Amino acid sequence: MAGGCVIQLFGRRVAWGRGCEWHRQSRNGQRRMAVLGQSPYCSAVEAPAVHHAVSGRVRRKILTLQSMNPQVRAVEYAVRGPIVLKAGEIEKELQNGVKKPFDEVIKANIGDAHAMGQQPITFLRQVVALCTYPDLLDNPSFPKDAKRRARRILESCSGQSLGSYSASQGVNCIREDVAKFIEKRDEGVPAHPDNIYLTTGASDGISSILKILVSGEGQSRTGVMIPIPQYPLYSAAISELDAIQVNYYLDEENCWALDVNELRRAFYRAKEYCSPKVLCIINPGNPTGQVQSKHCIEEVIHFALEEGLFLLADEVYQDNIYSKSCQFYSFKKVLYDMGPEYFNNVELASFHSTSKGYMGECGYRGGYMEVVNLHPDITAQLVKLLSVRLCPPVSGQAAMDVVVNPPQPGEESYEQFIREKDAILCNLAEKAELTEELFNQVPGIKCNPLQGAMYAFPRIFIPDKAIEKAKEHQMAPDMYYCMCLLEETGICVVPGSGFGQKEGTHHFRMTILPPVEKLKILLQKVKDFHMRFLEDYA
């Protein structure tokens, strides 16, 4: 399809063309798809014939949608899915002078802080700059504490260069700093550098540990328990590995709480068709923003020991706590506090990243995982697996080092660092409260408190007529809603169906990262759109 692209939409291949636009007719309250030249959907995509220049024979492409790896074809990733592709098309149209009811596309689909205008932490950028261009170490405008950290990192790099490969587990001194950070965070709980693996963002660590865990065939195939709603990395990785996704539902009516009884229901139901071995927890939650209590984490750990489950604790938002009634507890700390029976037996991998928190350094792709109670033979296998990708980006490792080894009281950069960090986190807390408050003023929208992370996941009422219209376009109702929102307002959010949700409910996820004034405009536009949408489909 000229000017378009082929995408995977709710398990179905569709061609999404440039000619597709959503139009709102305010008088009769109907929306229709205006198709210019060709239908935006097709049931199959055929491989084009290719003329062989030498023999004159015509043959088809070797690699087609039918012949490719079916596990890759099954992968879906909502936060960069069809709604984002459409947003990109609209941006190009605006750049080419096409008139729209708005002047810009606001991409609230992904937690990319710097893309939304957040300023980098000065100290982090100084250290990475010094590591990248060591000639700056003689520049008097850089603080001494930044230079000390840069020299230490460079001395641990081969050839004292960030451009050299590191060990597959990461630069040794950075892993040492990560271990010290964890010990301090967890009030003295021991951490060892040998259990630390530096990764290409947290995503790389999660995918790697899942590769080690997945095995078996048929009813013995590994089942991976994930929260619903979930971050689509998990469902994508499970699909790619041809593992079995086991859903457990968070309790929306109780601020997205995790109920251990729901874990048991999902676990014993899954045992009928697979071998559930892995339990994933996202805390603070993405997309739901809840912060789990210490008692809840204790129940989860007890359940994991009782049923023989390997725990994956996604803790990348551990700095993003906004509710005064909430506190972050790491799974490692709670595990230790529960005593030797738990601390010496429960297998746990936990993850952190430079991309979230107050740093927002998504592009550096820095992260780490700590793995405890892994069998020594499996440790060797994990190191072997990680060695295949040689090493994570060393610049990202340097950025991770600043996160775990920031300026300390008495150091030259400390006051500026704390000022910048606190300003970012206070601003996010303000925006979390603002978003919850304004959404809950809109009839047909309900938003739970944003206790942590960077997102709102409001529940939206979609009238029956709109649901029927969505069916006509072979779309999930909340995808139709979000596509209409994008076409009419320029606001790009992700439908809840891309994260999973209970049958009969509809949501969307949006980030709270835009500057306060732009966020207010965004929320007002969503409110006005929602009221029109309800009126049009009443």
Side-chain angles (χ1 to χ4, degrees):
M1 186 171 182
C5 59
V6 177
I7 57 177
Q8 190 84 4
L9 183 59
F10 309 112
R12 192 170 173 276
R13 293 187 301 278
V14 299
W16 191 270
R18 290 182 180 275
C20 308
E21 293 189 357
W22 296 89
H23 295 284
R24 176 177 174 273
Q25 297 179 348
S26 57
R27 289 189 178 181
N28 62 19
Q30 297 297 311
R31 287 181 176 81
R32 61 187 175 84
M33 177 74 90
V35 181
L36 306 179
Q38 186 173 346
S39 167
Y41 300 102
C42 61
S43 59
V45 179
E46 295 297 333
V50 178
H51 185 270
H52 195 286
V54 177
S55 65
R57 291 177 298 173
V58 175
R59 66 174 177 83
R60 296 196 177 276
K61 291 285 188 182
I62 294 170
L63 184 61
T64 70
L65 285 174
Q66 290 73 37
S67 67
M68 71 175 287
N69 184 333
Q71 274 69 59
V72 175
R73 191 172 63 236
V75 169
E76 295 185 15
Y77 191 61
V79 296
R80 291 182 182 265
I83 196 84
V84 183
L85 294 175
K86 187 61 180 175
E89 290 184 10
I90 292 174
E91 276 190 318
K92 290 180 181 177
E93 290 175 352
L94 288 171
Q95 291 167 4
N96 293 331
V98 177
K99 297 299 181 183
K100 298 284 183 181
F102 46 86
D103 297 325
E104 66 171 334
V105 173
I106 302 177
K107 291 184 177 179
N109 60 293
I110 195 166
D112 191 347
H114 293 181
M116 287 291 179
Q118 179 179 307
Q119 294 303 300
I121 295 292
T122 302
F123 187 76
L124 188 149
R125 286 296 180 90
Q126 287 173 332
V127 174
V128 176
L130 290 164
C131 289
T132 305
Y133 190 60
D135 286 359
L136 293 173
L137 288 165
D138 295 326
N139 190 318
S141 64
F142 283 80
K144 293 178 181 178
D145 48 359
K147 291 179 179 179
R148 281 195 299 271
R149 283 162 176 78
R151 286 192 178 99
R152 181 169 180 265
I153 292 169
L154 289 172
E155 287 169 2
S156 293
C157 293
S158 299
Q160 296 193 14
S161 172
L162 221 59
S164 59
Y165 290 126
S166 75
S168 296
Q169 272 188 255
V171 175
N172 288 335
C173 76
I174 299 176
R175 291 192 292 119
E176 290 170 1
D177 288 344
V178 171
K180 291 175 185 176
F181 164 81
I182 292 171
E183 283 193 8
K184 182 177 179 180
R185 181 199 66 189
D186 294 343
E187 301 173 343
V189 177
H192 198 283
D194 287 348
N195 295 333
I196 307 299
Y197 303 80
L198 300 180
T199 56
T200 308
S203 302
D204 173 45
I206 293 165
S207 299
S208 296
I209 205 73
L210 282 174
K211 286 178 183 177
I212 293 284
L213 282 160
V214 171
S215 65
E217 296 181 357
Q219 287 194 320
S220 66
R221 191 67 170 156
T222 297
V224 181
M225 300 180 68
I226 63 172
I228 298 296
Q230 54 109 15
Y231 177 51
L233 161 70
Y234 291 93
S235 56
I238 291 166
S239 292
E240 184 180 355
L241 295 170
D242 197 24
I244 307 298
Q245 179 174 318
V246 178
N247 297 338
Y248 67 88
Y249 290 89
L250 301 175
D251 185 0
E252 183 173 11
E253 303 306 317
N254 191 23
C255 201
W256 300 110
L258 194 164
D259 183 356
V260 74
N261 292 321
E262 169 61 12
L263 289 181
R264 288 195 179 91
R265 179 207 64 78
F267 177 82
Y268 286 112
R269 171 70 183 88
K271 284 177 72 72
E272 298 174 8
Y273 57 86
C274 71
S275 176
K277 293 197 302 189
V278 188
L279 173 56
C280 303
I281 312 290
I282 309 174
N283 180 47
N286 175 12
T288 45
Q290 84 287 357
V291 178
Q292 302 296 356
S293 68
K294 185 176 183 181
H295 175 69
C296 174
I297 295 172
E298 288 171 343
E299 286 192 316
V300 170
I301 291 172
H302 177 76
F303 175 74
L305 180 66
E306 187 178 53
E307 302 298 348
L309 293 169
F310 194 112
L311 281 175
L312 302 187
D314 183 337
E315 298 174 336
V316 301
Y317 296 99
Q318 59 189 259
D319 289 305
N320 301 103
I321 309 294
Y322 312 128
S323 174
K324 294 179 181 179
S325 63
C326 295
Q327 179 180 342
F328 171 75
Y329 296 94
S330 76
F331 266 75
K332 170 88 174 294
K333 165 68 171 168
V334 178
L335 183 64
Y336 186 83
D337 288 347
M338 290 176 72
E341 179 187 2
Y342 294 90
F343 188 65
N344 294 328
N345 291 292
V346 174
E347 294 155 280
L348 168 70
S350 53
F351 308 90
H352 197 13
S353 169
T354 63
S355 301
K356 310 304 176 184
Y358 57 90
M359 306 79 66
E361 294 283 8
C362 302
Y364 277 120
R365 307 308 300 131
Y368 75 74
M369 65 176 172
E370 181 187 24
V371 189
V372 297
N373 291 325
L374 206 61
H375 191 285
D377 291 345
I378 299 302
T379 299
Q381 294 296 317
L382 178 57
V383 172
K384 179 186 73 175
L385 176 66
L386 294 176
S387 70
V388 173
R389 50 87 155 128
L390 296 177
C391 70
V394 184
S395 56
Q397 296 184 49
M400 190 76 247
D401 188 70
V402 181
V403 174
V404 299
N405 185 24
Q408 298 301 306
E411 289 192 297
E412 184 178 350
S413 302
Y414 178 74
E415 289 186 6
Q416 181 182 9
F417 172 80
I418 291 297
R419 186 167 60 250
E420 291 177 352
K421 175 183 176 180
D422 288 350
I424 291 170
L425 292 176
C426 288
N427 184 255
L428 285 168
E430 177 188 351
K431 291 187 285 191
E433 185 176 357
L434 174 70
T435 302
E436 177 197 344
E437 178 184 345
L438 294 186
F439 269 146
N440 285 327
Q441 293 176 6
V442 184
I445 296 182
K446 180 184 177 183
C447 185
N448 271 319
L450 279 61
Q451 297 174 334
M454 297 177 171
Y455 313 98
F457 196 67
R459 183 170 176 173
I460 51 176
F461 170 71
I462 299 182
D464 290 341
K465 287 185 179 179
I467 292 173
E468 289 303 314
K469 183 64 69 173
K471 288 180 181 177
E472 291 178 18
H473 296 298
Q474 299 179 334
M475 286 185 173
D478 46 17
M479 170 61 88
Y480 178 72
Y481 178 98
C482 291
M483 199 64 80
C484 292
L485 174 68
L486 174 63
E487 286 282 1
E488 291 193 22
T489 69
I491 295 171
C492 178
V493 298
V494 188
S497 47
F499 300 87
Q501 55 197 349
K502 281 192 174 180
E503 187 73 26
T505 68
H506 308 292
H507 303 78
F508 65 80
R509 189 193 82 160
M510 59 162 274
T511 180
I512 61 170
L513 289 172
V516 171
E517 293 308 313
K518 181 172 280 191
L519 181 63
K520 288 179 180 177
I521 294 170
L522 184 157
L523 294 170
Q524 184 62 48
K525 283 187 173 184
V526 172
K527 176 182 178 180
D528 294 343
F529 166 81
H530 188 79
M531 299 305 292
R532 290 195 305 268
F533 192 84
L534 293 182
E535 180 182 347
D536 290 347
Y537 288 103

